[in-house]
Amino acid sequence: MSPRNPAGSGTNNARSTVNRLSAENVTLAYDQRVIAEGLSVEIPDNSFTVIVGPNACGKSTLLRALSRMLKPNEGRVLLDGQVIQSMPAKKVARTLGLLPQSSIAPDGITVADLVGRGRYPHQGVLRQWSAQDERVVRESMARTGVGELADRYVDELSGGQRQRVWIAMALAQQTPLLLLDEPTTFLDIQHQIDVLDLCAELHEEQGRTLVAVLHDLNHAARYATHLIALKGGTVVAQGAPGDVVTAELVEEVFGLRCQVIDDPETGTPLVVPAARKARAGGVTKVAAAETS
């Protein structure tokens, strides 16, 4: 299966040094179970890249490899031109932040203390906790709406509150690259939009490069500047959402018949699943947006 827009796939060695983060021909596996083989992606600098695909297609596995949490069996992940596994952990942590899919806080830790741990990569023998650290922690909590929870214990919060606390910790790390694995998990629709708006602001106003795994294809199409669609550990398509998200792609990747229309708010692609009877009857609808 050949990916659409292959020029952005990262297989061209001449381009692999251009962007700060890339994976070259990686094979990713857990024990003997291979998730992806010969996978290459390049994350455009200053982009909001979103990885989409069906369950168990390798989205989170790819993110773990890009963040140095999973070492490829073959191939390499490059950060600033260096193999990421060869770099000191603290140097990576000052460059690249990660919000994992599921995080467990230490028992008895407060919100402010957990968010403060995001400042660890900036500490050293000659530089301990500073007024700047305090300011960054306060701002990170305020931006994620958890400032009033500063003195609460993390383990007594709701799932949605804990998720926002972890995002605040990732923000406090102040890295130019930020990787988020399903950042809207446990959040209601209002807080999902709040978090994605925050991601868009970090990208647009601060110039950060973001890479996120999202399940909601419409959220991905609305917020991403660059989209990577995976299926079975293979890149099926990548590029701008307006170029990539089509009814044919959705059916190919997700097995879902749909229409793709213009989002009335943003003009980005909006996936409208076919009605149950239409899907059961084998009726394929063509997206009106593609013929307009």
Side-chain angles (χ1 to χ4, degrees):
M1 185 183 299
S2 299
R4 298 176 179 84
N5 302 329
S9 64
T11 57
N12 184 334
N13 289 333
R15 292 192 70 238
S16 64
T17 58
V18 174
N19 294 313
R20 301 189 67 175
L21 183 62
S22 63
E24 294 185 347
N25 299 312
V26 295
T27 295
L28 306 175
Y30 296 109
D31 296 325
Q32 301 301 314
R33 184 166 61 95
V34 175
I35 307 299
E37 193 170 7
L39 178 63
S40 294
V41 296
E42 195 161 336
I43 306 302
D45 288 344
N46 307 119
S47 69
F48 186 176
T49 293
V50 175
I51 305 170
V52 298
N55 290 338
C57 72
K59 301 185 299 294
S60 295
T61 303
L62 173 58
L63 203 72
R64 285 172 59 84
L66 290 173
S67 67
R68 196 175 181 263
M69 290 186 66
L70 178 66
K71 183 178 181 179
N73 289 30
E74 297 180 13
R76 59 184 188 168
V77 172
L78 297 177
L79 177 62
D80 290 336
Q82 301 180 59
V83 176
I84 197 168
Q85 264 77 27
S86 70
M87 301 172 65
K90 214 162 189 178
K91 181 177 181 181
V92 173
R94 287 194 296 266
T95 307
L96 186 152
L98 172 69
L99 175 69
Q101 190 176 93
S102 57
S103 305
I104 301 175
D107 291 337
I109 191 170
T110 66
V111 167
D113 287 342
L114 183 61
V115 177
R117 292 195 174 194
R119 301 302 298 163
Y120 169 75
H122 303 278
Q123 308 299 316
V125 176
L126 300 179
R127 186 191 183 283
Q128 300 302 315
W129 193 260
S130 68
Q132 179 185 0
D133 295 323
E134 191 71 33
R135 176 183 58 78
V136 170
V137 167
R138 285 199 309 270
E139 290 177 353
S140 299
M141 290 192 295
R143 297 198 75 173
T144 52
V146 297
E148 295 181 355
L149 305 176
D151 297 325
R152 295 270 302 274
Y153 290 111
V154 175
D155 53 14
E156 69 182 24
L157 302 179
S158 70
Q161 289 172 325
R162 284 197 299 270
Q163 185 73 348
R164 285 186 281 145
V165 171
W166 284 107
I167 293 171
M169 190 187 78
L171 294 185
Q173 200 170 330
Q174 284 195 314
T175 55
L177 289 91
L178 182 59
L179 279 57
L180 307 104
D181 195 355
E182 299 184 30
T184 56
T185 299
F186 304 122
L187 301 181
D188 59 37
I189 185 63
Q190 177 186 342
H191 287 114
Q192 288 179 33
I193 297 301
D194 287 345
V195 165
L196 292 171
D197 282 348
L198 173 59
C199 290
E201 290 171 10
L202 293 172
H203 161 244
E204 294 171 3
E205 298 174 11
Q206 298 185 14
R208 296 200 201 188
T209 299
L210 273 68
V211 186
V213 168
L214 293 179
H215 274 298
D216 191 310
L217 187 54
N218 286 329
H219 283 345
R222 173 175 281 200
Y223 284 93
T225 62
H226 184 75
L227 202 65
I228 298 174
L230 294 183
K231 182 181 180 183
T234 299
V235 176
V236 177
Q238 58 184 322
D243 298 329
V244 168
V245 180
T246 64
E248 291 77 14
L249 177 88
V250 175
E251 183 164 4
E252 178 183 355
V253 173
F254 295 94
L256 177 68
R257 290 174 177 169
C258 68
Q259 293 188 58
V260 176
I261 63 175
D262 289 340
D263 186 317
E265 290 287 332
T266 61
T268 53
L270 180 67
V271 175
V272 182
R276 178 177 57 85
K277 291 183 179 180
R279 285 185 280 114
V283 178
T284 302
K285 297 185 177 181
V286 179
E290 295 181 0
T291 59
S292 61

